[in-house]
Amino acid sequence: MDIAVKLFEVLFPVFFIIGIGYYLGKSNPKLDTSFITNFAANIGSPAMVFYSITTTGVTFDIFISYFWYALLAIIGFSITGIIFLFSLKKEIIRELPPFILPNTGNMGLPICLFAYGTQGLGIAAAISSLVILFHFTLGVCLASKKFSLELILKSPPFYAVIISVLFLYFKIEPPVFVVNLTMMLTYAAIFLILMSLGIALTRFKVFSFKSALISSICRVVVGPIIGFLIIKLFNLTGFAAGVLLIQCSMPSAVLTYLVGSIYSPKKIVDSIASMIVVSTIMSFITIPITLFFALKYF
């Protein structure tokens, strides 16, 4: 009974805010969300990375460890994604991002926060920081089929991760006013990004349900299996292992659609949008199951 209450406490705020966004999107189909996108990319995400990494008790060694575990998970996602795309006879390079880049920021961070508190948020941020970096590096390279160093150097989250790691390595205490500022921006970003996810669900269309369903199984079912294998392989325990499992279970990130819409052909973008919608809807079922095991055993 206690774990059922905990599940409700963790998931209700997340799904409720997504529901608010869905309602607003349905009520006003022309609602402009460009402000949320710009805020999240340039202000909210960097603040979230800095606050989560530097103020939640995560040490440099723990950050590096889970940064590498996340990298191993993404390698696993990549291999399974390539296998699925090859079997579906789809373009492997441009359609790979939604397989390998889960929604660890929009959904993962708040769920880990509510499940394990600020300590969970710190571990979740270590994992999410790698995913954010990959969105603006590997994600762009795959979507455009070319490498752009300029785009990386213009990415605020890239510098946020570097600055945060320097604070951890040299054990620098961030000033109180910086902590307060980034904390407010973090919680504002979590609310706005969750709401924008709900709005996005009203606008994305499913163009090939069967294909999107098969691809989504790779993301929300195979994903946590890969996370569990990493946990067992490295004998991980405690809340940090639970956070890794939760983050691996997230659906495809909305940002893969935004990046794809800039660099990829419409047919590819439509396929990515389909996978985001179906994997997100499926995650409303799979995330509670994964969270149940995470809370029970970690």
Side-chain angles (χ1 to χ4, degrees):
M1 185 65 180
D2 289 342
I3 197 165
V5 173
K6 183 66 175 180
L7 281 171
F8 179 79
E9 292 174 346
V10 172
L11 295 174
F12 177 78
V14 174
F15 291 162
F16 187 83
I17 295 173
I18 293 174
I20 292 174
Y22 187 86
Y23 170 77
L24 292 175
K26 281 291 187 181
S27 302
N28 184 7
K30 295 183 179 180
L31 184 65
D32 185 10
T33 58
S34 59
F35 162 74
I36 297 177
T37 303
N38 291 329
F39 172 79
N42 299 313
I43 300 175
S45 292
M48 194 184 304
V49 167
F50 182 84
Y51 174 77
S52 303
I53 292 175
T54 61
T55 67
T56 53
V58 174
T59 64
F60 178 77
D61 290 338
I62 292 176
F63 175 87
I64 294 299
S65 295
Y66 277 85
F67 194 88
W68 283 112
Y69 295 148
L71 180 60
L72 286 177
I74 290 175
I75 292 173
F77 301 157
S78 301
I79 294 172
T80 53
I82 290 171
I83 293 172
F84 270 72
L85 288 170
F86 180 79
S87 64
L88 292 170
K89 297 180 180 179
K90 291 196 170 189
E91 183 177 336
I92 293 176
I93 296 177
R94 280 182 163 149
E95 294 198 40
L96 192 58
F99 286 88
I100 66 177
L101 299 174
N103 203 345
T104 56
N106 292 27
M107 293 181 69
L109 284 178
I111 289 176
C112 293
L113 170 64
F114 296 142
Y116 296 109
T118 54
Q119 286 185 318
L121 180 64
I123 299 296
I127 297 169
S128 186
S129 62
L130 176 64
V131 176
I132 291 173
L133 280 179
F134 274 7
H135 272 300
F136 297 101
T137 52
L138 180 61
V140 173
C141 291
L142 293 173
S144 62
K145 290 188 175 181
K146 62 181 180 180
F147 179 77
S148 175
L149 181 61
E150 181 182 359
L151 189 65
I152 299 172
L153 296 176
K154 288 183 178 179
S155 172
F158 173 74
Y159 295 102
V161 172
I162 293 176
I163 293 171
S164 301
V165 170
L166 289 175
F167 268 72
L168 283 185
Y169 183 78
F170 292 105
K171 298 180 180 180
I172 302 172
E173 287 288 335
V176 175
F177 75 90
V178 174
V179 173
N180 291 339
L181 173 62
T182 53
M183 178 184 68
M184 293 179 68
L185 290 173
T186 294
Y187 286 105
I190 288 174
F191 173 78
L192 289 174
I193 292 172
L194 282 175
M195 192 171 65
S196 70
L197 176 58
I199 296 172
L201 289 176
T202 67
R203 298 178 178 178
F204 294 165
K205 295 181 179 180
V206 179
F207 294 89
S208 176
F209 179 77
K210 181 180 178 181
S211 176
L213 179 63
I214 295 172
S215 299
S216 297
I217 289 173
C218 177
R219 177 61 265 139
V220 300
V221 177
V222 179
I225 292 175
I226 291 173
F228 182 76
L229 291 175
I230 293 173
I231 290 171
K232 286 299 181 181
L233 179 63
F234 293 95
N235 294 317
L236 305 179
T237 58
F239 71 91
V243 168
L244 178 62
L245 182 63
I246 292 170
Q247 289 287 55
C248 288
S249 72
M250 290 298 113
S252 301
V254 176
L255 194 53
T256 59
Y257 170 82
L258 299 176
V259 172
S261 64
I262 297 174
Y263 297 101
S264 298
K266 185 179 185 301
K267 182 180 179 181
I268 301 296
V269 176
D270 289 344
S271 180
I272 291 174
S274 299
M275 184 174 172
I276 291 171
V277 172
V278 176
S279 67
T280 300
I281 293 173
M282 287 180 64
S283 73
F284 294 160
I285 299 173
T286 58
I287 286 177
I289 296 172
T290 304
L291 183 59
F292 171 83
F293 281 100
L295 292 173
K296 185 174 180 64
Y297 296 106
F298 304 111

